[in-house]
Amino acid sequence: EWSWRLEWVTCLAVAPDGDRAVTWSRAYLGDDAKGPDWLEVWDLAGRRHVGRVGVPRSPAPVAVLSPDGKTLVTWGEGRGRAGSLRSWDPVTGRSEGSEVPYDGLGGMVHGPGRDPHVVFVAPRARNELIALDYRTGQQVRTVALGRADALTRPVFSPDGTR
């Protein structure tokens, strides 16, 4: 039997090949949150926990794995600090660069395209999807969605055509 103990999981990212997953979790003791949040790496194929790294607590974290499964991109914000993007090696848990400030994110996804460093973000309360280089925070492209309400959780079809 395969089992693992997780605390409160606030975000889940699964590699496209289905062999690896990353969770963003936190421990709760009674009604009070204690300690840091955790990025937990799971080997789904081998059915084992690989490791974890402490990260600043965030009320609404977002995490996505790159199409090749080699980079994890996270976004989080905390009390009194603006949101930021960070990239990680999902095997070692090591950060692959500095934090890139980016405030007000509602959702994020790796999308179709040739550049593995581009994620598509849906800013909170804005009716657009932005292609963003997560290493620099530079906008590559902005797409107005023409919807009456804001997009919060963008997704693409597996083949990237929709």
Side-chain angles (χ1 to χ4, degrees):
E1 178 181 317
W2 181 35
S3 64
W4 58 36
R5 181 175 180 266
L6 289 176
E7 304 299 338
W8 183 335
V9 175
T10 57
C11 187
L12 167 71
V14 179
D17 63 9
D19 287 345
R20 185 175 307 125
V22 176
T23 57
W24 189 313
S25 60
R26 71 179 45 134
Y28 274 88
L29 304 172
D31 291 332
D32 192 19
K34 304 284 185 190
D37 283 0
W38 299 97
L39 288 177
E40 308 259 6
V41 181
W42 306 93
D43 175 357
L44 300 178
R47 295 181 160 197
R48 65 186 186 91
H49 181 254
V50 177
R52 72 180 184 173
V53 62
V55 293
R57 186 172 293 278
S58 177
V62 179
V64 297
L65 281 162
S66 61
D68 64 6
K70 294 180 180 178
T71 302
L72 173 71
V73 180
T74 61
W75 178 85
E77 64 184 351
R79 290 187 190 121
R81 71 177 176 89
S84 61
L85 293 164
R86 183 176 286 268
S87 59
W88 307 82
D89 179 320
V91 175
T92 66
R94 290 190 188 110
S95 177
E96 295 184 330
S98 59
E99 283 186 308
V100 175
Y102 193 85
D103 212 10
L105 186 67
M108 176 172 57
V109 65
H110 265 284
R114 295 187 188 120
D115 190 342
H117 301 113
V118 171
V119 290
F120 289 80
V121 299
R124 273 191 223 130
R126 288 173 36 198
N127 191 6
E128 59 190 9
L129 192 61
I130 298 171
L132 186 74
D133 184 321
Y134 64 77
R135 300 167 302 173
T136 65
Q138 296 298 309
Q139 290 186 16
V140 177
R141 183 175 166 199
T142 300
V143 178
L145 299 175
R147 297 170 39 106
D149 54 343
L151 178 68
T152 57
R153 300 288 185 234
V155 295
F156 286 99
S157 63
D159 66 2
T161 60
R162 295 177 279 181

